Amino acid sequence: NAGVTQTPKFQVLKTGQSMTLQCAQDMNHEYMSWYRQDPGMGLRLIHYSVGAGITDQGEVPNGYNVSRSTTEDFPLRLLSAAPSQTSVYFCASSYRPSPNEKLFFGSGTQLSVL
Amino acid sequence: EDKVVQSPLSLVVHEGDTVTLNCSYEVTNFRSLLWYKQEKKAPTFLFMLTSSGIEKKSGRLSSILDKKELFSILNITATQTGDSAVYLCAGAGGTSYGKLTFGQGTILTVHP
């Protein structure tokens, strides 16, 4: 079982460049989300999706864009990278609700913006 | 705004010690409290608690939730060096499932 697959694992960008972080899951999970993790701040929600065609903003959405055209894929786009977006990014997915809200995480993407 | 606070932020112990990690939460329409262990990269699931006062156990790890006082604790007995990790607490609530609010994490270091 592949689970949640994120690519790339590492990326270095220059300020102003754009890129897409890929996320795919093969568990037929309805719910998918993107988090960023910065030292001392835990994980903060960027965007999430409750199903194909439906997305919503999380706690820190500025500078990021998402779409959910299929159940399996949930890419995260950085529109114009800034040094403040240097972080580790995690994609996660979960089953239908109640009672299980357990998130399955991808292995993360370490992004540096110079 | 939902909020989850963990304490202590870091903890250094020796093998064999028992540790207690704390998590307090303010989550609108609270449904569950989850604990994760993060060693290198992806957090891995430990426990999900939905009912107050019912302890969940897995080997040397156990956790309990107090919905009246809005907190949870994670206990690790007879710690081992392999327990060294960041322990994350997260609250689930609101109108959307699969959307968690995480605490800052507790960095646990276990020395031989």
Side-chain angles (χ1 to χ4, degrees):
Chain A
N1 284 337
V4 180
T5 303
Q6 282 184 242
T7 56
K9 293 192 185 304
F10 301 95
Q11 183 70 50
V12 179
L13 293 177
K14 294 181 180 177
T15 297
Q17 287 185 313
S18 62
M19 80 157 294
T20 299
L21 306 185
Q22 302 291 345
C23 176
Q25 52 90 11
D26 62 357
M27 298 174 282
N28 202 29
H29 286 173
E30 287 195 2
Y31 303 95
M32 297 186 74
S33 49
W34 278 101
Y35 290 84
R36 61 177 286 174
Q37 187 173 32
D38 302 295
M41 301 192 74
L43 282 86
R44 291 183 293 167
L45 182 64
I46 304 171
H47 285 286
Y48 65 100
S49 169
V50 299
I54 306 169
T55 63
D56 206 347
Q57 295 182 351
E59 182 185 352
V60 287
N62 292 341
Y64 307 95
N65 208 351
V66 292
S67 60
R68 184 97 179 268
S69 56
T70 66
T71 299
E72 295 77 20
D73 300 299
F74 190 44
L76 177 73
R77 297 182 189 84
L78 278 70
L79 309 171
S80 177
S84 61
Q85 294 178 304
T86 294
S87 188
V88 180
Y89 292 84
F90 289 101
C91 178
S93 69
S94 61
Y95 291 114
R96 282 185 71 85
S98 197
N100 194 345
E101 299 194 66
K102 172 182 169 182
L103 288 180
F104 293 81
F105 284 89
S107 57
T109 296
Q110 190 161 340
L111 176 68
S112 294
V113 182
L114 307 177
Chain B
E1 185 179 320
D2 294 343
K3 190 175 179 183
V4 175
V5 177
Q6 293 184 245
S7 65
L9 294 182
S10 65
L11 193 55
V12 180
V13 300
H14 290 282
E15 272 192 321
D17 289 348
T18 293
V19 298
T20 298
L21 309 183
N22 304 294
C23 175
S24 64
Y25 64 89
E26 295 174 23
V27 175
T28 305
N29 296 324
F30 173 82
R31 288 189 301 274
S32 60
L33 191 290
L34 296 93
W35 285 95
Y36 284 84
K37 178 182 182 182
Q38 186 177 28
E39 292 180 82
K40 301 239 186 226
K41 282 284 187 173
T44 54
F45 173 79
L46 292 174
F47 298 110
M48 184 173 82
L49 303 128
T50 57
S51 300
S52 200
I54 298 176
E55 185 181 50
K56 292 224 172 175
K57 291 196 75 169
S58 177
R60 296 176 294 102
L61 277 68
S62 64
S63 183
I64 196 161
L65 175 68
D66 185 328
K67 290 173 78 171
K68 182 179 177 185
E69 300 298 329
L70 306 183
F71 78 88
S72 174
I73 60 172
L74 175 69
N75 279 320
I76 308 175
T77 59
T79 52
Q80 303 171 357
T81 55
D83 294 327
S84 296
V86 177
Y87 290 84
L88 297 165
C89 166
T95 55
S96 290
Y97 289 88
K99 177 186 168 190
L100 304 185
T101 300
F102 282 85
Q104 323 94 299
T106 294
I107 303 171
L108 175 65
T109 304
V110 182
H111 287 310

